[in-house]
């Protein structure tokens, strides 16, 4: 079953592990419509740190089409562990009929990103956000964001490091929520 790691600003962060595979989940409600949340996720993904404070390098390797891109991202790890990296394909989707959206990723192999010395290649089994419209009281203009990540660190990683990574990954939902809250406050201040 899921183990609640913490409740941060109304976002429930949970994890469960089996062997060396950890599944992370963050669920919260954002005060913005699905289309705005998806646009923000696409924009922030283009930045090195994005929503992950452990990012140390990040670049697009190939744009496949308007919904798919291949990325190479490196992450710092606490000493004495080697840095991790991942080559992954992003997929973004918005369904105007239902108002639902998704921003997802999964590991792939790519000719422009051979394994690097000093890095351990992580296998991202799946990672991303599903976006559901009209969540909670007053529904309109709100989005239920569910972040899920499942990966194989491809090495023995101490439980404290997994716990730290778990919290960091799922905190993405808190950061999304904070972004839209600060934007709402700024707009109110101008009014």
């Amino acid at each position: 079953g899921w183990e609640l790691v913490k409740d941060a600003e109304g976002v429930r962060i949970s994890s469960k592990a089996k062997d060396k595979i950890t599944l992370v989940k963050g669920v919260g409600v954002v005060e913005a419509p699905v289309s705005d949340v998806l646009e923000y996720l696409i924009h922030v993904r283009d930045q090195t740190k994005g929503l992950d404070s452990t990012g140390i390098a990040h670049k697009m390797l190939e744009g496949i089409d308007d919904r798919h891109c291949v990325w190479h991202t490196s992450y710092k790890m606490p000493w004495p562990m080697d840095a991790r990296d991942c080559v992954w394909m992003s997929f973004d989707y918005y369904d105007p009929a239902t108002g639902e959206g998704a921003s997802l990723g999964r590991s792939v192999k790519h000719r422009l990103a051979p394994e690097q010395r000093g890095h351990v290649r992580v296998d991202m089994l799946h990672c991303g956000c599903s976006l559901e419209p009209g969540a909670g009281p007053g529904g309109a203009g709100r989005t239920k964001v569910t972040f899920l990540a499942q990966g194989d660190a491809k090495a023995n990683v101490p439980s404290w490091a997994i716990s730290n990574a778990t919290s960091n990954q799922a905190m993405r939902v808190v950061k999304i929520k904070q972004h839209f809250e600060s934007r709402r406050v700024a707009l109110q201040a101008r009014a």
Side-chain angles (χ1 to χ4, degrees):
W2 288 98
E3 179 183 324
L4 181 65
V5 174
K6 67 176 155 183
D7 190 320
E9 298 183 37
V11 175
R12 295 182 56 83
I13 299 170
S14 308
S15 70
K16 64 179 175 179
K18 182 178 179 184
D19 301 321
K20 60 181 179 170
I21 307 291
T22 300
L23 185 59
V24 178
K25 177 170 65 171
V27 180
V29 175
V30 174
E31 298 290 333
V34 169
S35 58
D36 288 2
V37 176
L38 183 58
E39 182 180 320
Y40 173 68
L41 289 171
I42 292 167
H43 169 75
V44 77
R45 181 178 54 224
D46 291 341
Q47 302 166 20
T48 298
K49 293 272 186 206
L51 294 172
D52 188 338
S53 61
T54 65
I56 54 176
H58 177 71
K59 68 178 178 178
M60 185 192 324
L61 299 175
E62 182 178 4
I64 308 296
D65 57 35
D66 63 337
R67 292 190 190 179
H68 299 84
C69 295
V70 178
W71 303 85
H72 181 231
T73 307
S74 298
Y75 305 94
K76 66 182 173 191
M77 295 294 289
W79 183 87
M81 293 182 288
D82 287 330
R84 300 297 192 255
D85 76 338
C86 185
V87 178
W88 56 284
M89 181 178 288
S90 63
F91 170 71
D92 302 303
Y93 180 72
Y94 178 73
D95 183 348
T98 64
E100 296 175 338
S103 182
L104 308 171
R106 181 171 174 84
S107 284
V108 296
K109 294 185 186 299
H110 197 279
R111 61 183 162 62
L112 296 177
E115 291 195 28
Q116 301 176 46
R117 186 179 193 151
H119 284 73
V120 175
R121 179 71 40 101
V122 172
D123 187 10
M124 181 194 310
L125 303 173
H126 62 266
C127 180
C129 292
S130 69
L131 310 171
E132 299 173 50
R142 302 176 106 201
T143 300
K144 178 182 178 185
V145 178
T146 302
F147 170 80
L148 285 170
Q150 184 178 24
D152 183 348
K154 296 290 185 183
N156 289 329
V157 179
S159 59
W160 61 265
I162 290 173
S163 177
N164 189 32
T166 298
S167 291
N168 184 49
Q169 289 288 313
M171 285 297 288
R172 292 169 187 231
V173 180
V174 174
K175 291 176 182 178
I176 295 165
K177 193 172 179 175
Q178 289 170 341
H179 167 78
F180 284 100
E181 178 61 21
S182 67
R183 193 170 85 167
R184 186 183 64 76
V185 169
L187 287 172
Q188 286 177 341
R190 284 189 222 149

